[in-house]
Amino acid sequence: MRIHVVDHPLVAHKLTTLRDQRTDSPTFRRLADELVTLLAYEATRDVRTEQVDIQTPVTTTTGVRLSHPRPLVVPILRAGLGMLDGMVRLLPTAEVGFLGMVRNEETLQASTYASRMPEDLSGRQVYVLDPMLATGGTLVAAINELMLRGADDVTALCLLAAPEGVEVMERELAGSPVTVVTASVDERLDSRGYIVPGLGDAGDRMYGTAG
């Protein structure tokens, strides 16, 4: 497993505002969307392409286009939905699947409650969207589900990561074709499994606490 921390002034600037508890939900959603687009730029650096011949207004030339099968973008519900627009802005031809997962706040274990994805992901590059890599349980479960369906190249985009979660992923997914792209690896997890200093519960800050 590889982890890539995006070191860019705009990433740091937007992340600082996301961390600020005074940032309201509309501003949080907008900044998260912008930050994901910056992360997606790095995450798609190895997206698969194929050569194509085209005619410009001047002459013929050879360029590239995304190859088939098309990439699949999978937001983990519900907070991952807040990252979807920022991702498909760069990959408008990608297909979108959905994976609903919930974490038990006592055991910190993740379970799947909804799934809508192709049964066969053989040969597909998959981009998983989850704002927080905290304990690592949710992402490990999600990526295992994708690989069971045949995915052979998985990239997870996270706004923040904790060292404990990174360690769990490195242990549980050792030898797997997985990359994590994040804006920051923070200090630690607290006793509730929240990232410190973190930015709180990303889903609540995006959408409120209803439900």
Side-chain angles (χ1 to χ4, degrees):
M1 194 198 84
R2 298 185 302 154
I3 183 159
H4 175 47
V5 180
V6 179
D7 181 16
H8 192 284
L10 287 178
V11 169
H13 167 73
K14 294 178 189 301
L15 181 56
T16 298
T17 307
L18 287 176
R19 292 186 191 276
D20 193 331
Q21 66 179 356
R22 298 170 297 179
T23 300
D24 59 24
S25 288
T27 305
F28 191 97
R29 286 195 298 269
R30 175 178 59 81
L31 287 172
D33 177 80
E34 294 172 358
L35 180 53
V36 170
T37 299
L38 294 172
L39 296 180
Y41 180 81
E42 293 294 330
T44 55
R45 187 173 295 277
D46 295 323
V47 69
R48 295 170 186 162
T49 60
E50 60 189 16
Q51 288 191 340
V52 58
D53 295 326
I54 62 168
Q55 176 74 47
T56 78
V58 179
T59 186
T60 58
T61 189
T62 301
V64 298
R65 65 184 176 192
L66 296 186
S67 60
H68 285 78
R70 291 181 292 171
L72 180 70
V73 177
V74 181
I76 297 180
L77 306 179
R78 69 176 168 152
L81 280 177
M83 303 173 68
L84 181 58
D85 286 348
M87 184 69 190
V88 298
R89 184 174 296 116
L90 281 188
L91 284 177
T93 60
E95 294 183 344
V96 178
F98 296 93
L99 191 58
M101 307 197 77
V102 63
R103 186 179 76 165
N104 185 304
E105 294 303 326
E106 294 183 0
T107 65
L108 303 183
Q109 296 300 306
S111 59
T112 302
Y113 66 84
S115 175
R116 187 169 182 83
M117 294 184 296
E119 288 298 323
D120 184 6
L121 297 178
S122 301
R124 301 288 291 268
Q125 284 183 293
V126 184
Y127 297 89
V128 183
L129 310 180
D130 192 13
M132 302 286 102
L133 170 50
T135 64
T138 298
L139 266 179
V140 166
I143 291 171
N144 279 332
E145 171 71 18
L146 296 169
M147 291 194 297
L148 283 174
R149 295 173 184 242
D152 64 357
D153 188 336
V154 180
T155 299
L157 280 77
C158 306
L159 302 182
L160 290 180
E164 295 91 335
V166 172
E167 182 180 346
V168 166
M169 290 192 67
E170 289 176 336
R171 181 177 68 247
E172 298 295 327
L173 299 172
S176 300
V178 176
T179 300
V180 175
V181 178
T182 184
S184 174
V185 176
D186 276 12
E187 296 174 9
R188 59 183 173 85
L189 293 178
D190 67 12
S191 59
R192 300 178 299 164
Y194 279 75
I195 299 175
V196 178
L199 49 75
D201 186 296
D204 288 350
R205 296 198 63 190
M206 285 181 185
Y207 303 118
T209 58

